[in-house]
Amino acid sequence: MERIDEHDSLQLLQRANERFSRFFARFSGAPVLGTDEEVEALLQVENTLHSVRGYLDGRLQRSQAVTVRDELARYRANLIRLRHELAVMQNSAMGCRARLSARQKHLHAAQAWCAASRATT
């Protein structure tokens, strides 16, 4: 029974690490644009985190299997990188939001100027 659980845990960790690798390959260093692809990728990351959470009850940490321990170490490294990447994405999104806000103010000012200009002619 424990062996099957260990095998399932290993497969889950491997899938999670593969998903993180794909996420990093696609979005690391890319500016945040708010696309459906970004949202879907973040939802997949969230689902991955939730699926692995149930296995992190201490049994994996006690595993003597080298493959499980290696995948677990890779998973931890991916979590650290993910935290960094999410912070970068958040900063990029906040920058986009600030630029959009400034553009919106300029558009409202231009709209007001156009309305005033039409009223005087």
Side-chain angles (χ1 to χ4, degrees):
M1 174 83 177
E2 186 67 29
R3 183 73 179 146
I4 293 171
D5 186 49
E6 190 171 273
H7 178 73
D8 291 345
S9 300
L10 176 61
Q11 287 184 330
L12 182 68
L13 285 171
Q14 288 171 333
R15 281 193 309 272
N17 285 326
E18 289 170 11
R19 287 181 190 146
F20 287 136
S21 293
R22 285 193 302 271
F23 178 82
F24 297 144
R26 172 61 184 96
F27 296 104
S28 184
V32 172
L33 302 173
T35 64
D36 289 341
E37 180 187 16
E38 288 170 341
V39 172
E40 181 62 33
L42 289 169
L43 288 172
Q44 284 182 355
V45 165
E46 180 184 24
N47 289 337
T48 298
L49 292 169
H50 285 294
S51 68
V52 174
R53 178 179 60 192
Y55 284 82
L56 299 176
D57 60 1
R59 286 178 289 163
L60 284 177
Q61 291 83 344
R62 291 188 303 269
S63 174
Q64 297 301 313
V66 174
T67 53
V68 172
R69 295 181 71 72
D70 288 346
E71 274 314 307
L72 191 57
R74 187 173 160 215
Y75 183 79
R76 286 181 184 132
N78 280 332
L79 289 179
I80 292 168
R81 183 173 178 193
L82 179 63
R83 182 173 50 193
H84 169 76
E85 293 296 334
L86 291 176
V88 169
M89 290 178 85
Q90 181 181 18
N91 287 336
S92 177
M94 288 172 35
C96 287
R97 184 177 184 174
R99 287 188 298 280
L100 286 172
S101 179
R103 286 183 182 169
Q104 185 178 27
K105 288 177 186 177
H106 289 131
L107 285 173
H108 286 299
Q111 184 180 25
W113 179 84
C114 286
S117 177
R118 278 192 224 124
T120 58
T121 54

